[in-house]
Amino acid sequence: MSEEVSKNLSETLFAKHKQAKETSALTQYMPSSQTFLEQKQQQDGYKWYRNLRRLQWAWQGLDPIEIESVLAKIAASKHSRTHDEWLDTVMGYHSGNWTYEWTKLGMLHQKRSAEFKGEQAADELFNASLCFSIAGYPHLKNDNLAIQAQVLASTAYSEAAKKTRYTIKRLEIPYQNKQIVAHLHLTKTDKPQPVVMVTAGLDSLQTDLWSLFRDHLAKRDIAMLTVDMPSIGHNTHWNLTEDTSVLHQVVLDELYHIPWVDHHKVGLIGFRFGGNAMVRLSFMAQEKIKACVSLGAPIHDVLSSPDKLKQMPKMYLDVLASRLGKTAVDINSLAGQLMAWSLKVQGILSGRKTRVPILAMSLENDPVSPLSDNQLVATYSDYGKAKKISAKTITQGYEQSLDLAIKWLEDELIR
């Protein structure tokens, strides 16, 4: 896409939304919950509405200096904010606004890609796609700016797919009169490859996962199939229900008809809430899965404890409300409803074991995924293992957990 065309595309996409409602103000709460949130905001003293995932974004390919530079522009903005104490709540689509600044960085990478050939050009476009995705983060359903940013992310990803030496195929799988869109990433197409189905959490898109393929799976000739969680990205048509793995199960059944993958060698990786879905799938379809890894997944603890859930930052509560399709949110009833998402409450982690070996891990002191959750998963899995990653720095923790994850899958898929 030429720079001119992409500039025009972004201008037309965002033109109507100059005065779009700012992300942190989109979710409506009942008066009592609103009071609770305002008190909590003062006690927490957070400076940002969003959870800043600097290390994750750097691991996914962005330059830490560029990340800091964007955050600095947002923080220094003189424009008015929805909440004065939250730096990333600048209203209106202009400088200092979260979506605006990240989109601008995405455009810069898009422009750079024109200066390169082959893999370098592709990588710049994949980075552009990641910036556009972060521009829409945390991807609340009724966030108009985020929806436009997602269009840009998707377009940049398709452009990158044409330039990379790897093969990326967009799959459209019919389900309930709609389509589940998945992307299959391959190093070659002459013979079927083992495949890992990967899904992220409730606030990131499948296009964010490119570096996992490029830096880890491709080196081992393992294909990667990315699928969004229900209620986000390409799967916004479906609200999230306690059957978190429903769409992934449809995709798994479809693998039999896809010639480029070896459907006898299927692994799963789930990040955050995606881990809940992948663990669930390892029980529901155990005869079709060779191995599973869950990273930082909420399995039981936080879902079954309303008090812990209420301590979550507002961004997470907004995301959960958005995924469940709620309009006016009562925090107490939201916390009660999430009990049904616990895999223990569902009876999955209390009955028979699955024969799928599951590696369940999280970083030390993770409030969403305590060691007890991962031990519970390991107990109900043959050869299952729970692992707490205690790293001096979280960046090492990331690398360490991924290396472990890939090794675990490789041992099960390739032998």
Side-chain angles (χ1 to χ4, degrees), residues 222-238:
I222 298 174
M224 175 173 86
L225 181 65
T226 54
V227 188
D228 287 314
M229 282 293 284
S231 77
I232 183 170
H234 289 295
N235 289 339
T236 38
H237 320 298
W238 294 281

Side-chain angles (χ1 to χ4, degrees), residues 22-27 29 34 37-38 41-42 46-49 79-91 314 318:
E22 191 275 314
T23 308
S24 70
L26 286 168
T27 311
Y29 286 87
Q34 191 59 43
L37 284 172
E38 283 161 12
Q41 190 179 342
Q42 279 160 353
Y46 292 136
K47 292 281 175 274
W48 300 80
Y49 161 71
H79 290 295
S80 51
R81 293 176 164 84
T82 308
H83 300 270
D84 288 337
E85 56 277 31
W86 281 338
L87 298 168
D88 53 334
T89 61
V90 169
M91 297 183 263
K314 182 175 186 292
D318 289 357

